[in-house]
Amino acid sequence: MPLQAQPNVHQQHMYQKGVKHMCDKGLTQVPNKYILPEPERPHNLVADGCISLPIINFAQLQGSDRPRVLASLSKACQEFGFFQLINHGIGDETIGKMIDVSKRFFELPFEERQRYMSSDLHAPVRYGTSFNQNNDKVFCWRDFLKLSCHPMQDYASFWPSSPLDLRESMGAYSTNIQHLYERVMEAVLESLGVTHETTLYEQGNQLMVVNCYPACPQPQLTLGLPPHSDYGLLTLLLQDQVEGLQIQHKGKWVTVKPIPNSFVVNIGDQFEIFSNGRYKSVVHRAVVNSMRSRLSVASLHSLNANFNVTPSPILIDESNPRLYRDTNYADFVDYLSSSDFKCKRFLESRKLQ
Ligand code: OGA
Ligand code: NI
């Protein structure tokens, strides 16, 4: 009964503590705070409409097959905005330790995790829940830990000091991912015919987001993450074996089939703008399920906050007019705080005409 009643002050407080905390107290129904209006609910949870993303073999990209792989990469970025990166060279042990310590972080007593809660979007470490817990009318079924990562020496001392091995395991993983990201960006740019743009990624930001989606008693009523596109240049996502990521493809929501130890890579808004619309920043979301909790780790790479992103002049000519205005991080923050953004996207606000 209390969980279905209108929220009072005490219950709002409970939602702010996160989904894991609420579930640990026992729950058989989804509280109203998490119930989406009918049209926004996920109508296909899993199974039907499962797709395999185009596969890019990173090892092949380094050899004589590079031109062929670049062609597949270009096709994937235009048609899906997503691809699955295999043979990336990051060791199982580096990945395993990072996942293991992430799980143990969410198992810490709430009081310990709470030390890292912050409503400051610029804090180098943020533990929290939902999408934007200060604005969201309906909450999503997700808790998160966000860590600023690059350059590491500026940030690691802010990261949680427990579990004791968190800094070391997260540090090793995020450094490896940053290196991989730079090689992937190099290839993605080359596939567009743009070279000598190393400043685009060498001075960028890296934000790691550990997403924790507890098992949900009524997964058809809520979402782990609402439909969104990623703001930055590229995202490298590690998902576990539990399905949950869905992308918009040919007007439908399709579930991305997990491939162990590979990364789901997607184009972000900044890259769509840079490519003048050739490569697509595609809307995606996360669904939850009643059987298993799910963990994913996204590494979000974006341009340094002081830089403007502008469509590359190389990609603009008479038959390809400029499609977007210049944009920077301040515009994005303004946008986030000004709208309740139900899938109205930041990118739309940047389009010319
Ligand atoms: C994200 C994201 C999807 C997932 O963190 O931006 O889209 O499957 N995550 O967790
Ligand atoms: Ni995303």
Side-chain angles (χ1 to χ4, degrees):
M1 172 60 190
L3 290 176
Q4 285 298 311
Q6 285 307 304
N8 59 31
V9 172
H10 170 73
Q11 283 165 357
Q12 277 175 349
H13 196 60
M14 175 185 72
Y15 304 141
Q16 293 288 343
K17 289 182 175 181
V19 187
K20 176 97 182 16
H21 182 74
M22 185 172 68
C23 289
D24 286 348
K25 303 214 170 284
L27 203 64
T28 53
Q29 281 185 309
V30 169
N32 286 343
K33 185 72 182 166
Y34 297 83
I35 300 181
L36 287 162
E38 214 282 330
E40 292 170 38
R41 293 178 196 166
H43 294 278
N44 60 332
L45 280 177
V46 275
D48 65 324
C50 215
I51 56 159
S52 302
L53 291 175
I55 289 179
I56 299 299
N57 187 325
F58 184 76
Q60 278 179 4
L61 199 53
Q62 312 309 311
S64 58
D65 257 354
R66 188 168 176 96
R68 192 184 54 76
V69 183
L70 289 177
S72 320
L73 187 59
S74 177
K75 194 164 185 275
C77 295
Q78 292 174 62
E79 291 177 8
F80 289 80
F82 272 83
F83 57 89
Q84 193 105 36
L85 192 69
I86 62 162
N87 287 339
H88 46 70
I90 299 185
D92 293 353
E93 196 184 325
T94 306
I95 295 176
K97 280 187 173 168
M98 184 281 296
I99 292 290
D100 184 61
V101 81
S102 297
K103 287 188 175 153
R104 281 183 283 120
F105 175 82
F106 286 100
E107 253 129 53
L108 291 173
F110 175 73
E111 291 66 31
E112 185 64 31
R113 279 176 280 152
Q114 188 179 27
R115 293 171 52 200
Y116 304 101
M117 273 189 150
S118 165
S119 53
D120 174 9
L121 293 178
H122 299 281
V125 178
R126 270 193 323 131
Y127 167 72
T129 191
S130 192
F131 194 68
N132 178 353
Q133 75 197 83
N134 303 314
N135 277 7
D136 297 343
K137 291 199 187 80
V138 178
F139 267 29
C140 356
W141 202 263
R142 166 188 83 146
D143 297 337
F144 62 81
L145 175 66
K146 296 189 181 185
L147 304 175
S148 293
C149 294
H150 186 70
M152 181 83 68
Q153 63 274 17
D154 294 358
Y155 294 121
S157 62
F158 295 101
W159 292 0
S161 48
S162 66
L164 277 176
D165 51 334
L166 184 138
R167 290 183 188 173
E168 191 186 325
S169 299
M170 282 292 176
Y173 179 79
S174 62
T175 309
N176 274 280
I177 291 283
Q178 174 68 25
H179 289 150
L180 179 64
Y181 160 73
E182 291 177 14
R183 297 289 75 76
V184 174
M185 265 298 269
E186 198 172 65
V188 173
L189 288 168
E190 191 177 334
S191 78
L192 263 182
V194 179
T195 45
H196 311 299
E197 278 282 3
T198 52
T199 48
L200 202 59
Y201 52 88
E202 280 174 352
Q203 299 167 42
N205 289 332
Q206 180 188 19
L207 177 70
M208 288 238 296
V209 184
V210 184
N211 296 304
C212 168
Y213 305 101
C216 173
Q218 294 166 294
Q220 68 282 9
L221 301 180
T222 188
L223 281 170
L225 273 181
H228 69 281
S229 59
D230 293 348
Y231 163 70
L233 290 162
L234 287 187
T235 303
L236 278 71
L237 178 86
L238 184 75
Q239 59 168 343
D240 61 16
Q241 286 307 93
V242 182
E243 290 170 3
L245 172 63
Q246 297 189 328
I247 72 171
Q248 271 283 307
H249 185 61
K250 299 188 172 152
K252 285 208 184 89
W253 285 111
V254 290
T255 302
V256 173
K257 210 181 171 122
I259 303 181
N261 285 334
S262 73
F263 296 106
V264 173
V265 182
N266 65 290
I267 299 289
D269 294 352
Q270 288 184 334
F271 203 95
E272 178 169 326
I273 294 173
F274 174 81
S275 76
N276 199 35
R278 286 223 205 155
Y279 287 1
K280 301 286 186 262
S281 175
V282 166
V283 173
H284 52 284
R285 68 183 186 185
V287 297
V288 290
N289 75 87
S290 60
M291 305 297 286
R292 299 165 75 186
S293 64
R294 175 169 180 263
L295 191 89
S296 73
V297 184
S299 184
L300 303 155
H301 300 263
S302 57
L303 270 184
N304 192 295
N306 308 317
F307 284 38
N308 275 338
V309 56
T310 185
S312 169
I314 297 172
L315 302 172
I316 297 175
D317 56 33
E318 269 172 27
S319 44
N320 296 290
R322 179 184 174 138
L323 298 178
Y324 305 88
R325 333 165 200 279
D326 281 10
T327 300
N328 58 32
Y329 187 67
D331 293 337
F332 179 61
V333 171
D334 284 352
Y335 174 83
L336 274 188
S337 40
S338 71
S339 73
D340 74 334
F341 98 135
K342 272 200 188 99
C343 206
K344 243 194 311 136
R345 301 164 67 203
F346 173 64
L347 252 186
E348 300 303 323
S349 75
R350 297 289 96 200
K351 283 195 174 146
L352 292 165
Q353 283 129 37

